[in-house]
Amino acid sequence: MLTCLKIMVELVPMAILITNASEILTMTDGIGIVKNAAVLIEHGKIKAVGDVKPRKRDLMTINARGMVVCPGFVDSHTHLVYGGSREDEFAMRVEGMSYEEIAKAGGGIARTVESTRAASREELFSLGRHRLRRLVQHGTTTVEIKSGYGLSLTEEIKMLMVIKKLKKHSPLDIIATYLVHSIPRQMKRRDYVDLVTEEIIPEVTKRKCAVFCDIYCDKIAFRRKESMRILSTARTYGLGLKMHADQLSNSGGARLAATLSCTSADHLEYTSKNAIKAMCKTGVVPTLLPGATFYLQHKKIPDIKAYRKIGAPVAIASDYNPGSCMIYSMPTIIALACIVFGMRVEDALYGATIMGARALNLEHRIGSIEPGKQADIVILNVDNYKKIPYQFGEDVVRYTIKKGRILYGENR
Ligand code: NIG
Ligand code: FE
């Protein structure tokens, strides 16, 4: 009997030749399909793509016949480090209570703040490490991780130092973001904004524990003016800017992202056509999170047609977090982008790779398969790219390769 054995392997061959791929999705000119071709990897980088004739002998070969080769997935928005879980809120939502109602009744982010504060650095590190392994099994090679469940100087720094340690111990590229997520209980809005701008941001910069600063700008979180003050301060400290914008209401978040030329604005369910145009003009990467919309059963979806009309590609990401989306599999997120948001398959794949890289300012290094780029590659067990979302829910990832190292493979 043929048995299927999945193994986590960490091989470091000098060179790998991926041969006979039925499709290579280069993401160089749109999705950039090259059929029946090969990819040569040397010293952790992509050396050649297409009709490759390697001269070296000490070469490991992966026969990708009947498979699709794609850049490793770039998940540019997650809340992967947290303590506890909120399945009771999930149960309340399926019985009709909304995310906002639960938050107002003392649940939501505040619950995870309690359980994250209660967890030690070691516990958070071990939870994070376990979750990162799962990501690798689903083809993610680069991940952004936000803080935001600490809400005090000590606790936010605790989260960011855990992320820093994960970065040190994981083969993945990890990008840390300081997220200004919510106003802590028993604190006045004004005092918390002062604390963020006068103490937390300077400390984050001093410790070099985040690349970006993100703010949750919406009716249940920070106002436009507060967001403006916090992000402007973050910029003066050299942090890149991101926003959780217009998820629950049209709160002017995307417009502010355009004014500040943020690297990305994320969610965007309620963003108007004009704000979309403004964002695209100022180079903000619109980042859509279909997993959260689906998981929260929200009816309002981003204006996909507007992006298509102005020819602006979008990034898609998981938003993996214990409240609004427990999905960390990027193939599932790609399927949801198509099914829930009506995105074209090509655009969803583009969004999960090169656009994710742009949302992290990493497009010079990752997100596409072209000579000179880092060899971050996922090999999928489907013979054409449309089957990635079509085979919804199936485990389609056969190999995950990071910087030329096979992190995950399947032996048959
Ligand atoms: O991106 N919208 C705000 N923050 C998260 C949810 C966080 C939580 O519920 O714990 C999001 O959906
Ligand atoms: Fe989020």
Side-chain angles (χ1 to χ4, degrees):
M1 202 179 79
L2 206 64
T3 48
C4 248
L5 172 69
K6 290 217 159 173
I7 47 162
M8 294 290 288
V9 279
E10 292 217 11
L11 297 172
V12 199
M14 287 294 283
I16 302 177
L17 181 68
I18 304 169
T19 55
N20 301 319
S22 93
E23 292 178 349
I24 297 172
L25 313 178
T26 62
M27 307 295 166
T28 46
D29 180 18
I31 188 173
I33 304 168
V34 185
K35 293 202 172 186
N36 303 319
V39 182
L40 177 64
I41 298 170
E42 270 182 26
H43 306 293
K45 291 202 170 159
I46 295 162
K47 179 87 176 161
V49 184
D51 187 14
V52 182
K53 303 229 168 9
R55 282 191 213 117
K56 281 187 158 222
R57 287 223 186 100
D58 55 343
L59 192 75
M60 178 184 170
T61 303
I62 297 177
N63 187 350
R65 190 175 296 284
M67 293 186 227
V68 169
V69 175
C70 179
F73 298 124
V74 181
D75 192 349
S76 65
H77 182 141
T78 81
H79 308 249
L80 181 125
V81 170
Y82 61 86
S85 64
R86 302 197 337 239
E87 63 281 10
D88 48 348
E89 293 182 7
F90 174 87
M92 282 149 90
R93 271 200 311 277
V94 295
E95 287 186 43
M97 210 164 163
S98 74
Y99 181 77
E100 284 165 83
E101 284 163 351
I102 293 170
K104 280 186 190 139
I109 293 168
R111 285 267 312 287
T112 302
V113 169
E114 265 171 41
S115 45
T116 305
R117 284 181 175 182
S120 67
R121 283 180 192 226
E122 292 67 35
E123 277 167 305
L124 291 176
F125 175 75
S126 131
L127 285 166
R129 207 162 145 140
H130 174 74
R131 290 173 193 145
L132 284 172
R133 287 206 189 103
R134 298 268 190 92
L135 257 59
V136 169
Q137 290 171 13
H138 289 86
T140 296
T141 49
T142 296
V143 60
E144 183 255 20
I145 309 179
K146 301 175 195 293
S147 69
Y149 292 121
L151 309 190
S152 71
L153 175 64
T154 332
E155 292 294 327
E156 288 294 330
I157 295 293
K158 177 176 101 181
M159 285 194 75
L160 288 165
M161 293 315 280
V162 169
I163 300 170
K164 197 169 180 177
K165 191 169 166 198
L166 286 169
K167 188 176 157 77
K168 202 171 150 208
H169 291 269
S170 167
L172 300 191
D173 278 312
I174 295 177
I175 289 76
T177 296
Y178 165 43
L179 170 61
V180 188
H181 207 179
S182 182
I183 294 147
R185 283 179 185 148
Q186 277 112 30
M187 206 163 172
K188 291 208 181 90
R189 311 183 68 90
R190 171 85 207 179
D191 293 344
Y192 190 58
V193 175
D194 285 349
L195 180 76
V196 168
T197 51
E198 289 162 20
E199 292 184 45
I200 308 184
I201 291 176
E203 188 63 22
V204 167
T205 324
K206 198 173 121 200
R207 291 184 180 240
K208 295 189 173 56
C209 54
V211 175
F212 291 101
C213 178
D214 185 348
I215 188 149
Y216 185 18
C217 176
D218 218 314
K219 60 183 178 187
I220 60 166
F222 292 90
R223 298 172 186 145
R224 225 179 106 92
K225 239 179 153 182
E226 295 161 340
S227 307
M228 174 81 159
R229 183 175 156 210
I230 288 171
L231 290 181
S232 304
T233 307
R235 170 161 286 158
T236 65
Y237 278 89
L239 293 170
L241 308 184
K242 287 181 167 285
M243 287 186 76
H244 278 66
D246 305 336
Q247 180 191 16
L248 306 171
S249 62
N250 186 348
S251 51
R255 265 202 180 280
L256 179 59
T259 308
L260 293 170
S261 294
C262 290
T263 301
S264 78
D266 305 28
H267 279 293
L268 309 175
E269 283 81 341
Y270 283 83
T271 304
S272 70
K273 283 191 179 51
N274 282 339
I276 290 176
K277 278 189 199 149
M279 271 195 305
C280 297
K281 240 188 212 157
T282 48
V284 179
V285 177
T287 301
L288 310 184
L289 311 170
T293 308
F294 170 74
Y295 203 81
L296 295 176
Q297 305 175 69
H298 282 168
K299 298 286 168 281
K300 183 85 175 132
I301 62 164
D303 191 347
I304 296 296
K305 283 192 188 134
Y307 294 102
R308 209 178 289 161
K309 202 166 162 201
I310 55 174
V314 301
I316 61 168
S318 72
D319 195 17
Y320 173 59
N321 75 81
S324 66
C325 184
M326 282 293 281
I327 306 161
Y328 48 78
S329 150
M330 285 302 278
T332 304
I333 294 297
I334 290 162
L336 292 174
C338 301
I339 298 165
V340 181
F341 287 175
M343 282 178 70
R344 291 190 296 217
V345 178
E346 297 79 1
D347 297 343
L349 284 161
Y350 198 74
T353 52
I354 188 71
M355 289 307 292
R358 269 189 215 160
L360 298 173
N361 288 332
L362 292 176
E363 70 274 24
H364 55 286
R365 189 151 62 82
I366 56 167
S368 60
I369 301 182
E370 52 189 316
K373 278 218 172 166
Q374 203 165 285
D376 291 6
I377 286 177
V378 58
I379 305 180
L380 302 144
N381 203 6
V382 286
D383 59 11
N384 76 79
Y385 72 92
K386 288 184 181 151
K387 284 189 179 166
I388 299 169
Y390 170 67
Q391 296 188 186
F392 180 55
E394 191 181 315
D395 180 6
V396 288
V397 173
R398 182 78 179 259
Y399 289 96
T400 306
I401 300 171
K402 178 72 188 173
K403 292 182 190 160
R405 274 169 76 190
I406 301 171
L407 298 185
Y408 175 70
E410 189 175 353
N411 269 1
R412 279 177 193 277

